[in-house]
Amino acid sequence: MLTSHRLAKITGFVILAAVLAGALGARTRKGDKLLAQSRAAELRKEWDKAISFAEQALSEDPADIAYQLAASRLRFYAGQFHIEQGTKLRGQGQLEQALVEYEKGYGINPASTMAGEEIERTKRMIEREKEKPESEKKPGARALTPADAEKQKEQKKFAAMQPLPELKPLNPDPIYLKMNNQPPKVLFETVGKYAGINVLFDPDYTSTGGQKPQSIELNNSTLNEALDYLALITKSYWKPISANTIFVTQDNPTTRRNFEDWVVKVFYLNNVLTVQELTEIISAVRSVADLQKAFPYGAQNAIVIRGEADKVALAEKIIADLDKPRSEVLVDVLVMTVNRNKERDLAAAIAPSGINSPISFTPRSSIASPASSGSTGTGTGTGTTAASTSIPLSQIGKISTRDFSLTLPGGLLNALLTDATTKVLQRPQVRAVDRQKVSMKIGDRVPYATGSFQPGIGGVGINPLVNTQFTFLDTGVNIDIIPYVHNADEVSLHVEVDISNVTGSVPLGGINEPEVAQTKIINDVRLKQGEVNLMGGLMQVEEDKTISGVPGLGNIPVLRRLFTSETTKAKESELVIVLIPHIIRSSDITDVNLKTIAAGNATNVKVNYAPAKPEVTPASQPQGSAPPASQPAPVATPNAAVQPQATSPAGPAAVIPPIPGVNAPPATAPPVTAPFSPPKPEAKAPAGKASVKFVPAQATAQVNGTITVSLMVENAADLASTPMQIRFDPKVLRLNDVVRGNLLVSDGQQVAFSKNVLNDTGEATVNVSRFPTTGGVTGSGSIVTLVFQAVGRGETVVTVPSLTLRNSQSQPIVAATPVLAVSVQ
């Protein structure tokens, strides 16, 4: 029983424990509630609320691990959220707002190194914008970090890098020229004047002395072809240095080394799979294109090449031909196995297994030895007397046949037939790339011991498995195939087929090692697509026959069946492997890949290009234009100067006679002999009103850029002359050249062409006139082509204030004057 004093102490203790437990439970419930609110805010991605609730929960119980983990995790996420918001604002150019977000992120998570770096970077950007003058401030530039600003400058610089200059002649018509006994310099200058390009010469390149005069006839040649022909016969080297200028010098190894342009190009390969393939392509490029500066970059499957322009162009052709997707083959593999076991067991005999009947000595109890007789008893008082095979010596004479016993063989009738058939069919498919090994394994991995070692400390009870090394053997169907695709219809296959299975085990050294039955075939075969190939065809037949019975009696015909038993076993197994290849991708080798290209000579690599085919559109043939009359190529007399001709789609057109001070040949050229002119066909004026316009009507260019426009006449009737005055702003534009158009020479007649350009005042006077005896032309075409150079920024116009179109009777043809709008940025 409890005393009153002890009862009072227990009651007080219980009350105190209840009070403490209530206070502790109230504090924990509040922290858990705050933690739950933090998790709910986290799911809504409200990171500021989430970290606020987590911090309050941690303040309720700073020792609680759950509160500590939640607060630490949310500090990171909340700080990262503000950093991301700051980055977005900075990308929009709002630097001050971005700085506030970065500072919030740093305040939440002071351990964030990224927040501190972004704060310093944003402050530098704000200071940079304050120091910029107002004229240089751009909205997009505020969002650029110092590193991004430098990268942008680099990208602009890279984009401004120019490729090799490409000639763009003002007169793209084919060239028809015949020049006799002229110095090389005159030949080049004449072709240049015809095409409307400038020709610069090396100071060491002389037109007299060592260079002999040459003769050449050009018929329907492009500008590049004409220059190559001249370079060949004069042993010269030329290269374009701008779109309308070429440089000519002597052709020898020294000048080529000094003047031949080098280029750099990076080739990204799309179908190279291994480093060896990349190395082989580089070796081919170095050997064939004679390029030594070719280097691989394996991380991007790229090749960086620097060398002469023609060598790099040849390397580009080689790489394009070699970088092709490799062929692929899908192989159907059929593995068929048929096993059949037959067993027959026949026995119908008195002694089917022979006679094995022992004779036992069982003496009668009357002669048996008494000492050997005894009885065994049980608790019930019953007993049995054991038989004795020993007799006293005095009873030997009483032994008779009654004291021996014999077990006679019994009869047996047994007829058993067993027939078991097993069929296994496996039909996997493998897809392989040309010359790449593909493997397929279907089955199990069986461990087997490959070695053992003696432990350092021996003793009884050590498990031998501890000291044994094991290797796993792949059983089942294992196939390795390497295809070699020859074309779209044939493929060679190197096939290794390994079919194995575990048939039993053998105890070796206390370990049961597996017995593996294996069939392995290695074969190389060439097949057509879809052709069926049988591999293996291994057939095995095993027959066993066992006869047991009584000797002698088992050899008697007919009766031997009574004294023998016969067992017959027959095993048949057949293995057939079928391969059916399907070429699902072949090398895309086109006629361009098989084409033979010219590559220069033994010392110089030179790649030639066919002229680009012009795009023919219905608008390219103006309505109402008369077809030009055909005229054979002019024939110059010996010592005759050049006779450049403009051409039309039908062939050569007119011969341009020299005009003193305008288009006369060099002083070294002899006077010109005019060629024969065929009779002029009668021109008929089509109905319609003539109009004049600039093509294009608006032009835009950068400073130092070139603007090329044509002054076109449409629906002209009996047009004979076009005197004009052109005006432009000399502060914005400079007129570099005026080239005669093709309208007035469209019927093959001669014209007079003169020009006078005054760039200081922004004026030019041009006149294109037919000779009085040739009449006028009817149709549409260009009068002149103007080549301007932009020298200053601004908006301006080019006008033709005094354009007079006259017919063959010197009467004016009414037409409005055009205006060209030009914008230079």
Side-chain angles (χ1 to χ4, degrees):
M1 296 179 64
L2 296 175
T3 63
S4 59
H5 179 69
R6 181 176 296 179
L7 181 61
K9 292 176 65 177
I10 293 175
T11 303
F13 176 78
V14 172
I15 294 174
L16 179 60
V19 173
L20 294 176
L24 181 60
R27 184 190 63 186
T28 304
R29 285 195 299 271
K30 184 176 181 181
D32 292 343
K33 181 179 179 180
L34 292 171
L35 183 61
Q37 293 175 344
S38 174
R39 291 174 178 173
E42 180 182 357
L43 294 176
R44 297 192 300 269
K45 305 297 182 182
E46 298 176 355
W47 301 108
D48 290 340
K49 291 184 179 180
I51 187 60
S52 176
F53 288 134
E55 293 289 350
Q56 294 178 35
L58 183 60
S59 64
E60 292 293 330
D61 189 1
D64 194 303
I65 300 299
Y67 301 161
Q68 294 177 7
L69 292 177
S72 299
R73 179 170 53 84
L74 290 174
R75 286 193 193 98
F76 171 78
Y77 285 114
Q80 192 67 23
F81 170 75
H82 285 287
I83 293 175
E84 292 174 358
Q85 293 299 315
T87 303
K88 291 180 181 179
L89 292 172
R90 191 174 64 187
Q92 298 171 0
Q94 303 177 21
L95 302 182
E96 291 77 10
Q97 294 85 339
L99 181 60
V100 172
E101 290 293 332
Y102 288 135
E103 290 176 344
K104 286 182 180 180
Y106 186 78
I108 294 174
N109 186 18
S112 176
T113 306
M114 183 178 181
E117 293 176 353
E118 296 298 339
I119 289 174
E120 295 299 326
R121 184 178 293 113
T122 307
K123 287 181 178 180
R124 291 196 300 268
M125 295 173 63
I126 294 174
E127 293 297 328
R128 179 192 64 187
E129 292 300 319
K130 290 180 179 179
E131 296 175 358
K132 277 186 179 180
E134 292 296 331
S135 59
E136 296 182 5
K137 290 184 178 180
K138 297 180 181 179
R142 287 178 56 86
L144 296 177
T145 64
D148 292 338
E150 291 300 322
K151 290 181 180 179
Q152 189 179 67
K153 291 181 181 179
E154 290 181 356
Q155 292 298 328
K156 290 182 178 179
K157 181 176 66 175
F158 297 155
M161 290 182 177
Q162 296 295 324
L164 287 179
E166 181 180 355
L167 278 179
K168 296 180 180 179
L170 297 179
N171 183 11
D173 297 332
I175 297 176
Y176 292 84
L177 290 175
K178 183 175 181 180
M179 296 173 283
N180 296 329
N181 198 27
Q182 298 299 321
K185 188 173 181 180
V186 175
L187 299 178
F188 278 102
E189 286 179 339
T190 304
V191 172
K193 286 184 176 296
Y194 181 90
I197 62 173
N198 303 317
V199 183
L200 303 180
F201 294 95
D202 186 3
D204 296 334
Y205 188 85
T206 58
S207 59
T208 58
Q211 295 189 354
K212 299 185 300 181
Q214 302 289 341
S215 299
I216 189 172
E217 182 176 358
L218 304 175
N219 293 312
N220 196 27
S221 300
T222 64
L223 175 60
N224 286 356
E225 290 174 346
L227 295 175
D228 288 339
Y229 299 157
L230 295 180
L232 180 64
I233 65 172
T234 62
K235 297 182 180 180
S236 304
Y237 167 71
W238 71 274
K239 71 170 187 178
I241 58 176
S242 68
N244 63 346
T245 305
I246 66 172
F247 175 79
V248 182
T249 185
Q250 298 175 354
D251 189 8
N252 54 61
T254 302
T255 56
R256 279 186 173 270
R257 185 167 53 250
N258 294 336
F259 295 107
E260 196 166 13
D261 293 321
W262 282 42
V263 296
V264 176
K265 188 169 183 178
V266 180
F267 299 90
Y268 294 94
L269 309 182
N270 299 319
N271 303 291
V272 171
L273 302 178
T274 62
V275 177
Q276 180 182 357
E277 295 175 354
L278 186 63
T279 304
E280 290 176 354
I281 291 178
I282 292 178
S283 299
V285 168
R286 287 175 175 171
S287 301
V288 177
D290 193 18
L291 277 168
Q292 301 303 321
K293 298 183 181 299
F295 305 95
Y297 181 60
Q300 294 289 338
N301 276 344
I303 302 176
V304 184
I305 294 179
R306 180 176 183 265
E308 294 87 339
D310 286 324
K311 291 183 179 180
V312 174
L314 180 60
E316 184 176 7
K317 173 66 167 58
I318 296 173
I319 293 174
D321 291 342
L322 297 181
D323 182 30
K324 288 188 172 294
R326 302 175 69 174
S327 303
E328 292 188 50
V329 180
L330 182 68
V331 182
D332 291 327
V333 183
L334 281 73
V335 181
M336 295 177 289
T337 304
V338 179
N339 295 325
R340 186 173 185 180
N341 297 329
K342 288 184 177 181
E343 184 175 351
R344 186 183 64 181
D345 191 356
L346 297 177
I350 298 175
S353 300
I355 298 175
N356 185 14
S357 300
I359 299 174
S360 303
F361 179 59
T362 56
R364 292 165 291 166
S365 59
S366 59
I367 66 174
S369 176
S372 62
S373 62
S375 61
T376 60
T378 63
T380 60
T382 61
T384 58
T385 303
S388 176
T389 58
S390 61
I391 60 174
L393 292 177
S394 60
Q395 300 295 328
I396 292 179
K398 298 180 179 180
I399 297 174
S400 65
T401 56
R402 291 178 296 175
D403 298 321
F404 294 91
S405 60
L406 175 64
T407 302
L408 296 178
L412 175 66
L413 178 60
N414 184 22
L416 178 64
L417 176 64
T418 302
D419 190 349
T421 302
T422 303
K423 296 181 180 179
V424 179
L425 173 62
Q426 294 178 338
R427 187 171 183 173
Q429 284 185 334
V430 292
R431 181 169 177 170
V433 180
D434 183 30
R435 302 176 188 274
Q436 292 290 326
K437 180 180 178 180
V438 60
S439 300
M440 184 180 63
K441 301 182 185 297
I442 303 175
D444 302 322
R445 304 194 72 194
V446 179
Y448 65 95
T450 56
S452 61
F453 62 92
Q454 184 67 31
I457 301 176
V460 179
I462 296 180
N463 191 341
L465 294 179
V466 178
N467 309 321
T468 305
Q469 298 174 351
F470 288 90
T471 301
F472 286 88
L473 174 67
D474 293 320
T475 60
V477 179
N478 302 316
I479 301 174
D480 294 333
I481 298 177
I482 303 178
Y484 299 87
V485 181
H486 302 290
N487 47 49
D489 296 326
E490 286 188 316
V491 57
S492 292
L493 300 177
H494 174 79
V495 185
E496 296 184 10
V497 180
D498 187 347
I499 302 174
S500 58
N501 61 291
V502 178
T503 58
S505 61
V506 178
L508 297 175
I511 302 174
N512 290 330
E513 295 285 356
E515 288 184 332
V516 179
Q518 184 183 50
T519 301
K520 189 170 185 177
I521 301 173
I522 301 177
N523 192 16
D524 289 281
V525 61
R526 181 164 179 166
L527 304 170
K528 287 185 175 295
Q529 179 174 233
E531 182 179 353
V532 178
N533 177 65
L534 297 178
M535 293 180 58
L538 178 61
M539 180 179 294
Q540 182 177 359
V541 178
E542 180 182 351
E543 294 184 357
D544 294 334
K545 187 175 183 181
T546 305
I547 300 176
S548 60
V550 180
L553 297 178
N555 296 328
I556 300 175
V558 182
L559 294 178
R560 68 182 183 86
R561 294 292 183 183
L562 299 176
F563 302 98
T564 60
S565 65
E566 181 178 308
T567 302
T568 303
K569 295 181 180 180
K571 294 182 180 180
E572 297 179 2
S573 63
E574 184 176 1
L575 173 65
V576 177
I577 301 174
V578 180
L579 298 179
I580 307 175
H582 304 280
I583 301 175
I584 58 177
R585 176 184 293 172
S586 60
S587 297
D588 184 19
I589 300 177
T590 63
D591 55 343
V592 177
N593 304 130
L594 300 175
K595 181 181 179 181
T596 302
I597 62 174
N601 50 42
T603 57
N604 298 316
V605 174
K606 181 68 170 65
V607 179
N608 300 317
Y609 299 91
K613 295 181 180 180
E615 296 183 1
V616 179
T617 60
S620 61
Q621 180 67 29
Q623 296 181 359
S625 61
S630 60
Q631 177 182 353
V635 179
T637 59
N639 299 326
V642 182
Q643 300 155 0
Q645 310 169 38
T647 60
S648 65
V655 179
I656 305 175
I659 301 175
V662 179
N663 65 340
T668 56
V672 175
T673 301
F676 168 78
S677 299
K680 179 180 71 65
E682 182 179 357
K684 296 181 180 180
K689 184 178 180 181
S691 62
V692 183
K693 64 179 180 179
F694 280 112
V695 178
Q698 296 179 351
T700 303
Q702 301 289 335
V703 176
N704 296 327
T706 301
I707 300 175
T708 302
V709 295
S710 296
L711 190 61
M712 305 289 295
V713 175
E714 293 183 353
N715 297 327
D718 193 25
L719 180 63
S721 63
T722 58
M724 69 188 77
Q725 183 181 14
I726 302 170
R727 289 183 180 178
F728 53 93
D729 187 355
K731 297 180 180 179
V732 180
L733 297 176
R734 176 184 177 85
L735 183 58
N736 286 343
D737 199 2
V738 180
V739 181
R740 186 212 66 218
N742 59 0
L743 177 59
L744 294 180
V745 296
S746 60
D747 59 352
Q749 298 300 320
Q750 302 178 7
V751 296
F753 176 60
S754 62
K755 60 182 178 181
N756 184 19
V757 179
L758 302 175
N759 282 306
D760 294 337
T761 59
E763 295 182 354
T765 303
V766 181
N767 184 19
V768 183
S769 302
R770 293 167 64 90
F771 291 99
T773 58
T774 59
V777 296
T778 300
S780 303
S782 65
I783 304 175
V784 291
T785 298
L786 308 177
V787 183
F788 293 96
Q789 182 179 3
V791 296
R793 292 185 176 88
E795 307 286 339
T796 185
V797 294
V798 177
T799 60
V800 188
S802 58
L803 172 62
T804 304
L805 304 181
R806 297 185 180 276
N807 58 18
S808 60
Q809 305 299 325
S810 297
Q811 297 175 349
I813 301 176
V814 179
T817 57
V819 176
L820 171 66
V822 179
S823 175
V824 180
Q825 301 175 355

